[in-house]
Amino acid sequence: MAKSKKRKVRIKYGRIFLFILLVVGTIIGIYKVFNIRVTNIYVTGNTIYTDQEIIDLAGLHNYPRVIAIRNRKIESQLKQNKYIKDAYVSRTSFLQKVNIEITENKPLLYYQYDNVYLLSNYEKTSDRFEVPILINQTPEDILKKLLKKMSTIDEDVLYRISEIRYRPSNVDDELFYLTMNDGNYIYINIKNLTRRIKRRYKSIIAKCRSII
């Protein structure tokens, strides 16, 4: 009777080693991906807050891991601030660069009658700003129309207005008397506010834009 031969099982250490390397490499790769942090944050459209203040408001002061960032959450968080009308967050370069675009609720005037500063969305604030002063009491509906028009004027020209006085007539209840910082005076209707201001200060606007 023939004797059966026993086969020796050869352990392929090379393949085992390669498999271990693959597993370890995958674990390390996943770990690194999960721990990639934000490297740059760019802020645009802000004049009231500094870039760093916007970054702090967005909760990004510690440049967190990219996987922990949610664009919509940051936008919602920023828009809770009364000076921020809208915010748009985008990311580039493997999500490591964060871009924040801000649209502000700008302070437009100081309403002396109520001792408050009014923003472009008609919200009130006690924070101080260098803005035109509305001297006397103005009906709320007229005031809202005034703010809406003022929000369309170039800032470089808007802040050349020193004082605004509500002066309605028997035929027009939307008349205002503007005193400018350069000593000029303008008696104007709300409807014509933007056009008249731009026409009178057209050269100033052009000069400011050419500098920018």
Side-chain angles (χ1 to χ4, degrees):
M1 190 172 179
K3 293 182 179 179
S4 60
K5 294 183 179 180
K6 293 183 180 181
R7 292 186 179 181
K8 292 183 179 180
V9 178
R10 299 178 110 186
I11 300 174
K12 298 179 179 180
Y13 293 103
R15 290 186 179 182
I16 294 175
F17 181 70
L18 185 62
F19 176 74
I20 293 172
L21 280 180
L22 184 61
V23 171
V24 172
T26 301
I27 293 172
I28 292 173
I30 292 173
Y31 175 80
K32 286 188 175 182
V33 167
F34 272 75
N35 284 277
I36 292 175
R37 305 186 79 85
V38 170
T39 56
N40 300 93
I41 302 174
Y42 302 97
V43 183
T44 58
N46 54 312
T47 59
I48 299 172
Y49 290 115
T50 64
D51 290 0
Q52 186 57 52
E53 286 172 331
I54 293 293
I55 291 171
D56 292 342
L57 287 171
L60 301 175
H61 57 280
N62 62 341
Y63 286 66
R65 294 179 299 164
V66 297
I67 200 170
I69 295 176
R70 297 291 180 269
N71 292 7
R72 302 291 85 82
K73 182 179 179 181
I74 294 173
E75 291 169 355
S76 177
Q77 187 170 323
L78 287 169
K79 285 188 285 188
Q80 290 178 16
N81 187 282
K82 63 184 174 183
Y83 295 118
I84 299 177
K85 180 180 181 180
D86 199 9
Y88 176 70
V89 177
S90 61
R91 289 188 281 170
T92 56
S93 299
F94 300 101
L95 306 180
Q96 288 183 278
K97 292 184 179 180
V98 178
N99 303 295
I100 304 175
E101 298 175 34
I102 298 295
T103 302
E104 296 177 326
N105 282 317
K106 295 186 180 297
L108 294 179
L109 56 80
Y110 170 66
Y111 190 22
Q112 189 167 276
Y113 178 79
D114 280 346
N115 189 30
V116 294
Y117 290 82
L118 297 178
L119 307 181
S120 54
N121 64 343
Y122 199 65
E123 190 166 345
K124 300 175 182 179
T125 179
S126 59
D127 297 335
R128 293 178 176 274
F129 296 94
E130 292 295 326
V131 292
I133 302 172
L134 178 58
I135 301 295
N136 56 337
Q137 184 179 10
T138 305
E140 186 174 351
D141 59 328
I142 302 295
L143 184 54
K144 286 182 177 179
K145 288 182 181 180
L146 176 65
L147 289 171
K148 185 176 180 179
K149 276 291 182 181
M150 290 180 70
S151 66
T152 66
I153 301 175
D154 295 69
E155 286 187 21
D156 296 297
V157 175
L158 175 65
Y159 297 141
R160 291 177 183 272
I161 302 173
S162 176
E163 294 181 355
I164 304 172
R165 189 178 295 274
Y166 179 52
R167 282 192 179 178
S169 67
N170 294 329
V171 294
D172 192 342
D173 63 350
E174 296 185 357
L175 287 176
F176 288 87
Y177 185 73
L178 277 59
T179 303
M180 310 301 289
N181 288 326
D182 59 10
N184 286 315
Y185 303 91
I186 305 176
Y187 200 48
I188 200 168
N189 176 282
I190 290 179
K191 291 180 181 178
N192 301 323
L193 178 63
T194 304
R195 180 173 56 82
R196 287 279 304 278
I197 291 288
K198 284 184 177 180
R199 184 173 64 186
R200 175 166 291 222
Y201 292 91
K202 186 177 180 180
S203 60
I204 296 174
I205 296 173
K207 184 177 180 181
C208 291
R209 287 179 177 170
S210 65
I211 292 173
I212 294 173

